[in-house]
Amino acid sequence: MRIISGKFKGRKIRAQLKNNVTRPTMDMAKEGLFNILDHRYDLEEIKTLELFGGTGSISLEFISRGVMDATIVERDYKCFVYIKQLSNEFNIENELKIKKYDVIKFLESDTEKYDIIFADPPYNYPNMEKIIDIIYNKNLLKPEGIIIFEHDNKNDFSEHPKYINSKKYGTSIFSFFQ
């Protein structure tokens, strides 16, 4: 994995996590996603939340492109420690907040508002729609904000009332909600 663009362009992210703890977003999918976001947002002006942070590569990409306020939520201890190490290595401790929480519990207690909420749960995660509903019920999105869910073809969110569309990159699908 690598940072695609911005001040950290080309830097490698070496996920040295064992036992398939994560399923990082592949570079091709990440590049496609950020092409969409770059045309919609001034990334230097937004606040992001990454749920199921894994390696933190999405938030690192956001920060590389100018985001000054990013939060990652990751429950797994090894992933949490790894993201902290990357934060130190990239010298972005002021831009990145890392929370070691269960995603549902975090969302139920959070009061912040975000421009972009990105979620990449395990593909077999049982509460995907619950996450979307909590975000809307708790009013965690800013008025023009979006939720982006990364998932596989076993999930279809097209019937959700806040669903906009989906983009597919390889085996990854990004569903957008507003």
Side-chain angles (χ1 to χ4, degrees):
M1 286 181 301
R2 64 186 169 87
I3 304 293
I4 307 295
S5 186
K7 65 184 175 184
F8 301 127
K9 180 179 180 177
R11 288 200 49 189
K12 302 258 190 249
I13 302 169
R14 292 171 197 77
Q16 299 171 348
L17 302 168
K18 305 289 186 217
N19 302 327
N20 295 327
V21 174
T22 65
R23 180 193 29 77
T25 302
M26 302 313 299
D27 288 351
M28 177 189 74
K30 189 165 47 171
E31 189 167 5
L33 173 64
F34 277 90
N35 283 338
I36 293 168
L37 296 176
D38 281 337
H39 288 91
R40 182 174 177 156
Y41 291 97
D42 177 357
L43 295 182
E44 294 177 3
E45 302 293 322
I46 68 167
K47 182 175 189 169
T48 67
L49 173 63
E50 181 180 359
L51 304 172
F52 306 95
T55 63
S57 74
I58 296 296
S59 289
L60 290 173
E61 188 73 39
F62 273 123
I63 291 169
S64 181
R65 293 171 185 243
V67 168
M68 299 300 291
D69 191 348
T71 301
I72 295 177
V73 178
E74 175 54 60
R75 180 180 69 177
D76 182 82
Y77 178 76
K78 289 178 183 176
C79 291
F80 174 79
V81 169
Y82 180 73
I83 297 166
K84 279 235 178 258
Q85 289 171 346
L86 286 176
S87 176
N88 292 335
E89 179 184 320
F90 281 68
N91 197 26
I92 55 173
E93 297 91 344
N94 293 330
E95 293 95 343
L96 183 63
K97 295 181 225 65
I98 309 160
K99 309 287 185 178
K100 187 183 175 306
Y101 273 97
D102 172 79
V103 165
I104 299 289
K105 289 178 182 172
F106 175 83
L107 291 173
E108 288 174 341
S109 65
D110 195 20
T111 59
E112 298 288 326
K113 291 194 183 299
Y114 304 93
D115 297 285
I116 298 173
I117 299 176
F118 179 85
D120 185 9
Y123 285 166
N124 62 352
Y125 188 76
N127 295 315
M128 288 192 197
E129 286 205 26
K130 182 177 182 180
I131 290 170
I132 298 164
D133 293 338
I134 292 171
I135 291 167
Y136 283 109
N137 291 338
K138 294 272 303 182
N139 201 24
L140 299 177
L141 275 182
K142 291 182 180 178
E144 298 298 314
I146 61 170
I147 301 170
I148 305 163
F149 243 86
E150 183 174 350
H151 59 91
D152 63 6
N153 60 6
K154 293 182 186 109
N155 294 293
D156 179 8
F157 297 104
S158 61
E159 298 300 317
H160 194 281
K162 302 290 187 174
Y163 174 84
I164 303 170
N165 66 355
S166 294
K167 299 285 184 188
K168 184 174 182 173
Y169 299 95
T171 58
S172 294
I173 300 171
F174 296 114
S175 288
F176 297 83
F177 303 83
Q178 186 170 34

